[in-house]
Amino acid sequence: MTDADLPADAVRTGVWATLGDARTTLALERAGFDWVGVDAQHGHFDDAALRGLFALRHEAAAPVLVRVAANDPTAIGRALDAGADGVIIPLVQDAEQAEAAVAAAHYPPRGARSWGPLPGSRDTTGGAASMPRPRCAVMVETARAVAAVEDIAATPDLDMVFVGPFDLSLALGRDVDDLLADTAADAPLPVIVRACRAAGVLPGAFAGSPERAAALRAQGFSWIAVTTDSGVLHLGSAAARAGLTPPT
Ligand code: 3PY
Ligand code: MG
């Protein structure tokens, strides 16, 4: 089944890779998550780590989207050249910046991505048309972006609006859990979900914990990064230890 066969609000449980380690990330991809976010903004994935990750990925089990360091055509092109199925662009503020992100992810005529022969690829002749369509998500995580979210979501060829609740709560001067629980019609998260539905793009978000993932799900988000690679280690360690811990 492809994502295109799923209803737009079907929950897609993701994991966020921060450690910069290719084998851990690929193990998570195969562990049953619906998608993997690879963090090149705050995580330990530099260019070499991204190339090492995709060089080791011989079979795709789930879409792997790279959160690039900035809304920069070079960073976006290099992540896609390395083999990412899509990109997540942080701190997009308005429709103009969203359009720049989408344009950087797509070859002409839609966009302005540059083609170059990829290391190890047999295609040295410029076959951009045969490359898979990349997914493009833009992050809404500032007050200015929330104010512009209807226009951002309406960007042609955008696939997802992805909320960074931690930056958004910092920007709004609010407690993150208070923000996640706020279901007032004019509260930021309901406004964002409605804008996504109106534009036909996926509403996604970073959660960081199963509890926060449940709060985001209740708000109507469908692509949710439930935890990180190190979060999986902590959760798994607690579950493993629990077997030998006497009940209190
Ligand atoms: C945020 O919550 O701001 C994020 O970007 C999560 O990675
Ligand atoms: Mg952020």
Side-chain angles (χ1 to χ4, degrees):
M1 184 190 263
T2 66
D3 295 331
D5 303 322
L6 292 170
D9 66 346
V11 69
R12 307 293 280 150
T13 304
V15 64
W16 201 250
T18 64
L19 296 172
D21 185 67
R23 287 176 181 81
T24 311
T25 307
L26 294 176
L28 288 170
E29 184 195 356
R30 293 182 202 119
F33 288 101
D34 297 315
W35 62 280
V36 180
V38 169
D39 193 359
Q41 183 193 17
H42 293 294
H44 289 286
F45 283 94
D46 57 13
D47 235 34
L50 286 181
R51 287 178 183 271
L53 166 67
F54 291 107
L56 277 181
R57 187 183 182 226
H58 302 302
E59 258 178 70
V64 174
L65 312 183
V66 172
R67 194 236 316 250
V68 295
N71 191 0
D72 165 41
T74 304
I76 293 169
R78 287 184 77 79
L80 294 171
D81 281 1
D85 299 308
V87 280
I88 301 176
I89 319 298
L91 294 166
V92 166
Q93 302 274 25
D94 56 30
E96 198 182 329
Q97 293 182 9
E99 169 55 31
V102 172
H106 290 277
Y107 292 115
R110 168 61 186 94
R113 181 179 166 195
S114 161
W115 186 91
L118 302 178
S121 163
R122 275 186 300 170
D123 182 359
T124 57
T125 58
S130 66
M131 304 288 276
R133 179 188 178 279
R135 296 160 198 248
C136 184
V138 296
M139 292 191 71
V140 164
E141 44 187 352
T142 62
R144 195 173 136 200
V146 175
V149 71
E150 286 178 15
D151 293 339
I152 290 173
T155 305
D157 298 306
L158 182 70
D159 298 291
M160 174 159 58
V161 166
F162 194 80
V163 172
F166 292 91
D167 273 325
L168 186 56
S169 65
L170 285 172
L172 300 178
R174 289 184 66 167
D175 173 77
V176 66
D177 291 307
D178 172 58
L179 180 69
L180 295 188
D182 193 347
T183 54
D186 60 350
L189 298 192
V191 165
I192 293 167
V193 171
R194 276 202 308 278
C196 290
R197 289 205 181 115
V201 300
L202 294 165
F206 176 85
S209 74
E211 296 75 20
R212 288 181 173 142
L216 286 159
R217 182 65 189 145
Q219 288 275 14
F221 287 88
S222 56
W223 280 55
I224 301 173
V226 70
T227 187
T228 63
D229 42 12
S230 47
V232 168
L233 293 175
H234 283 280
L235 292 167
S237 303
R241 285 198 317 273
L244 290 180
T245 307
T248 49

